[in-house]
């Protein structure tokens, strides 16, 4: 479903991603962990080209999005993304946030978008917040709305870029719960996170990144119980 | 000192007509300036440094030279190419438009740049193209932040339009000078003119702060659209 080949990314002279290779299957939940500065956020942001790709290839369902002439907007309709800072549109209500893109990009009728948005709000447990502006929501609620907004485009894969890192501890659970539910429904997911519990419980595979490389990849139980690489061991000993 | 009110009352019709032209020239100058400013502002944001250059220098030149000099150049040097003899009011409007465009371009650019990059990223990640991102996400938010500086710019423009008097554009200050010339009295005409400018600018500044309040607090004040809220009313009892 997603295939990354020799992906490189530099910011000026700074090489952030050096040589990333990975295959991600449909319905797989891949969790990316690693120390800060390891390139994991940059990596996930290259998967929908929010970050320009310096070298190598990223295939989304066979389309090589590293090619400039690719209609990236079309590809992005199938790739949902959830950000650390939520990035809800402050001038729009919760409902309008969710309905905007389906109506503008997918050209849905208002009624259809409304129906879908409401059902998604129900799913993330925020039906009663439909008419309010994001400002009045807690961090956890904002992130759940952001998830609903991404889901309303009916994406084939969801990217989560540290979705709980900006949350107060007591709100992390409600967001992880929604993500867990999504994983159980068979959504293909790539999750950059520091939540090792989530990685262990929900992940099908864990990628450990450091210094712009994927240093180790394995099933959660293997990587957490028997890390093979020294750097993985060192990192896990600090966070577990 | 005696104050001769009759000078003011005699010239009031001319002052009012002049005021009409002052507002007309400022308004057209501002609107045309906003259109040009939008183009310049976008031009200044181009990624190609060579294409960007003319827009940057447009702003540099019009902000870096006095409006009075621009008015003279436009009226006596540029406009005669198109209109013979040049029409002072048109020259004034052209000068105001070109001058304000430089300032408005900066206002647009700063307003758009002030919107958090995450807003754009979220919109792009939802599949929107550049135009859709701008129209639905960036501009509505940027516009709110542009209201105060745009209001200031318009008020400045109304006052600066008085420079049109030196090329005999029949705006308010021009008629003030005519009255001074006719009676050899300075207090009455100039004070009357000053009061009229003051009233217009005062009204404009109230309009500005009204718009500012209306849009700045829009998100908070707007009642939640349908659903909810009812429960909160009950809690108040």
């Amino acid at each position: 479903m997603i295939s990354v080949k020799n992906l490189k990314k530099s910011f000026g002279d700074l090489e952030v991603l050096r040589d990333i290779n990975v295959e991600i299957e449909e319905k797989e939940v891949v969790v990316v962990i690693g120390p800060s500065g390891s390139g994991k956020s940059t990596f996930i942001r290259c998967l929908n080209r929010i970050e320009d790709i310096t070298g190598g290839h990223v295939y989304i369902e066979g389309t090589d999005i590293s090619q400039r002439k690719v209609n990236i907007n079309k590809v992005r309709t199938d790739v949902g993304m959830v950000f650390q800072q939520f990035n809800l549109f402050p001038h729009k209500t919760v409902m309008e946030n969710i309905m905007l893109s389906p109506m503008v990009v997918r050209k849905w009728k208002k009624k259809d978008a409304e129906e879908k948005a409401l059902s998604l709000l129900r799913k993330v447990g925020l039906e009663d917040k439909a008419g309010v502006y994001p400002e009045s929501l807690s961090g956890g609620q904002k992130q759940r709305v952001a998830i609903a907004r991404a889901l309303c485009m009916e994406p084939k894969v969801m990217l989560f870029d540290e979705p709980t890192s900006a949350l107060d501890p007591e709100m992390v659970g409600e967001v992880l719960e929604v993500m867990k539910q999504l994983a159980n429904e068979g959504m293909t997911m790539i999750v950059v996170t520091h939540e090792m519990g989530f990685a262990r419980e929900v992940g099908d595979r864990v990628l450990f990144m450091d210094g712009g490389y994927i240093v180790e990849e394995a099933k959660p139980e293997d990587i957490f119980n028997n890390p093979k690489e020294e750097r993985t061991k060192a990192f896990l000993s600090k966070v577990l | 000192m005696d104050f001769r009110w009759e000078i003011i009352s005699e010239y009031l019709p001319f002052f009012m007509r002049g005021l009409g032209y002052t507002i007309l020239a400022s308004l057209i100058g501002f609107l045309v300036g906003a259109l040009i400013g939008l183009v310049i502002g976008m031009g200044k944001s181009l990624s190609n440094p060579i294409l960007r250059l003319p827009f940057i220098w447009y702003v540099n030149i019009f902000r870096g030279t006095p409006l009075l000099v621009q008015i003279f150049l436009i009226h006596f040097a540029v406009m005669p190419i198109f209109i013979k003899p040049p029409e002072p009011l048109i020259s004034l409007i052209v000068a105001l438009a070109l001058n304000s465009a430089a300032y408005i371009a900066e206002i647009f650019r700063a307003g758009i740049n002030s919107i958090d990059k995450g807003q754009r990223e979220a919109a792009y990640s939802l599949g929107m193209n550049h135009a859709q991102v701008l129209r639905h996400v960036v501009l509505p938010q940027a516009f709110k932040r542009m209201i105060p500086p745009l209001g200031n710019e318009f008020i400045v423009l109304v006052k600066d339009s008085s420079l049109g008097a030196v090329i005999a554009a029949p705006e308010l200050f021009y008629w003030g000078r005519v009255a001074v010339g006719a009676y050899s009295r300075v207090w009455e005409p100039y004070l009357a003119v000053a009061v009229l400018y003051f009233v217009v600018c005062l009204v404009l500044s109230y309009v500005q702060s009204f718009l500012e309040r209306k849009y700045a607090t829009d998100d908070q004040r707007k009642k939640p659209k349908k659903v909810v809220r009812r429960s909160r009313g009950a809690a108040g009892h």
Side-chain angles (χ1 to χ4, degrees):
Chain A
M1 159 131 215
I2 295 179
S3 167
V4 180
K5 294 204 162 76
N6 309 111
L7 172 63
K8 290 180 184 57
K9 169 70 188 175
S10 314
F11 294 99
D13 291 338
L14 183 69
E15 272 194 322
V16 178
L17 300 179
R18 290 165 199 271
D19 186 17
I20 303 285
N21 293 281
V22 68
E23 302 283 327
I24 291 155
E25 303 299 325
E26 210 179 321
K27 303 201 170 186
E28 204 180 2
V29 177
V30 174
V31 179
V32 185
I33 61 172
S36 50
S38 59
K40 50 195 194 308
S41 272
T42 307
F43 163 62
I44 202 171
R45 286 159 60 85
C46 283
L47 298 183
N48 64 352
R49 221 174 79 190
I50 287 289
E51 214 66 80
D52 277 325
I53 294 166
T54 309
H57 304 275
V58 174
Y59 298 90
I60 307 287
E61 294 211 302
T63 308
D64 184 358
I65 63 167
S66 66
Q67 302 303 311
R68 283 245 65 109
K69 58 182 187 293
V70 161
N71 181 354
I72 190 67
N73 299 325
K74 177 83 183 56
V75 176
R76 283 175 184 153
T77 59
D78 289 333
V79 182
M81 188 168 209
V82 174
F83 299 83
Q84 183 177 350
Q85 298 297 338
F86 329 125
N87 297 340
L88 293 180
F89 307 132
H91 60 302
K92 297 196 174 292
T93 63
V94 165
M95 274 297 265
E96 289 165 347
N97 261 278
I98 301 175
M99 290 158 56
L100 178 64
S101 206
M103 285 172 63
V104 166
V105 178
R106 292 233 196 260
K107 312 287 180 208
W108 287 6
K109 290 203 185 68
K110 187 169 182 204
K111 199 168 154 285
D112 299 337
E114 240 163 22
E115 236 164 71
K116 176 81 179 173
L118 269 175
S119 81
L120 284 167
L121 276 179
R122 220 168 289 142
K123 182 168 168 169
V124 300
L126 290 171
E127 208 184 353
D128 60 333
K129 299 290 184 189
V132 308
Y133 285 86
E135 192 185 48
S136 63
L137 301 178
S138 71
Q141 292 171 332
K142 281 181 191 165
Q143 197 59 298
R144 286 187 278 155
V145 171
I147 293 172
R149 178 175 70 176
L151 288 177
C152 205
M153 289 297 283
E154 303 185 326
K156 295 180 179 139
V157 52
M158 285 282 285
L159 310 175
F160 292 85
D161 185 6
E162 303 204 21
T164 59
S165 298
L167 298 178
D168 291 337
E170 74 269 25
M171 291 167 185
V172 170
E174 62 192 62
V175 172
L176 292 181
E177 206 48 51
V178 169
M179 291 168 63
K180 216 179 288 177
Q181 188 189 343
L182 206 53
N184 289 338
E185 288 166 10
M187 175 62 79
T188 312
M189 292 164 64
I190 300 163
V191 185
V192 172
T193 188
H194 295 290
E195 295 295 327
M196 297 302 151
F198 177 85
R200 197 192 286 263
E201 194 183 337
V202 185
D204 294 314
R205 189 152 48 119
V206 175
L207 310 182
F208 171 69
M209 283 184 70
D210 193 18
Y213 296 99
I214 295 174
V215 174
E216 186 166 352
E217 61 170 290
K219 289 206 162 81
E221 57 269 28
D222 295 337
I223 207 161
F224 287 118
N225 299 335
N226 301 302
K228 297 204 167 45
E229 302 288 330
E230 279 312 311
R231 279 189 283 176
T232 318
K233 282 178 199 164
F235 173 74
L236 289 176
S237 72
K238 277 181 223 152
V239 298
L240 287 181
Chain B
M1 183 194 101
D2 61 330
F3 194 88
R4 290 172 59 186
W5 288 97
E6 73 273 15
I7 297 178
I8 295 176
S9 58
E10 188 192 332
Y11 268 88
L12 196 62
F14 297 104
F15 290 164
M16 294 316 282
R17 188 146 43 120
L19 186 64
Y21 280 124
T22 288
I23 293 170
L24 185 77
S26 312
L27 197 62
I28 298 177
F30 183 77
L31 292 177
V32 176
L35 282 179
I36 304 173
L38 187 62
V39 175
I40 307 271
M42 291 198 294
K44 271 194 82 168
S45 309
L46 288 172
S47 49
N48 183 327
I50 293 169
L51 292 177
R52 202 164 57 208
L53 217 56
F55 299 102
I56 291 175
W57 279 96
Y58 179 95
V59 174
N60 285 346
I61 287 166
F62 276 91
R63 288 205 306 186
T65 55
L67 177 56
L68 185 59
V69 176
Q70 292 166 17
I71 289 174
F72 272 67
L73 274 172
I74 286 165
H75 183 60
F76 293 112
V78 178
M79 292 312 283
I81 301 170
F82 306 103
I83 310 170
K84 276 182 189 152
E87 163 60 41
L89 196 62
I90 294 177
S91 298
L92 175 64
I93 291 173
V94 169
L96 292 178
L98 293 179
N99 182 270
S100 65
Y103 290 91
I104 293 173
E106 289 300 287
I107 294 172
F108 280 143
R109 208 173 57 94
I112 287 171
N113 286 352
S114 74
I115 302 305
D116 181 60
K117 155 166 102 62
Q119 290 288 307
R120 247 163 281 196
E121 289 179 354
Y124 282 126
S125 81
L126 290 164
M128 289 187 221
N129 61 33
H130 294 303
Q132 290 163 340
V133 173
L134 214 54
R135 154 130 168 54
H136 295 284
V137 177
V138 176
L139 285 182
Q141 295 182 63
F143 180 66
K144 277 182 210 169
R145 301 187 187 179
M146 292 175 194
I147 291 172
L150 282 177
N152 288 342
E153 177 57 25
F154 186 58
I155 290 171
V156 166
L157 212 58
V158 168
K159 290 183 292 181
D160 281 356
S161 69
S162 61
L163 291 171
V166 297
I167 55 166
E171 46 73 57
L172 177 55
F173 184 55
Y174 168 86
W175 287 108
R177 299 212 322 167
V178 169
V180 168
Y183 284 92
S184 299
R185 302 271 302 186
V186 289
W187 276 102
E188 293 87 352
Y190 285 157
L191 270 184
V193 164
V195 167
L196 286 173
Y197 276 116
F198 178 72
V199 168
V200 169
C201 290
L202 196 66
V203 169
L204 285 174
S205 73
Y206 278 117
V207 171
Q208 179 193 11
S209 62
F210 167 77
L211 287 176
E212 220 172 293
R213 258 179 295 125
K214 177 164 186 279
Y215 285 100
T217 55
D218 223 11
D219 299 348
Q220 296 97 303
R221 259 192 355 189
K222 245 190 241 166
K223 289 245 169 67
K225 292 186 179 167
K226 58 191 178 185
V227 289
V228 294
R229 237 317 143 89
R230 214 154 280 157
S231 58
R232 200 174 294 176
H237 290 293

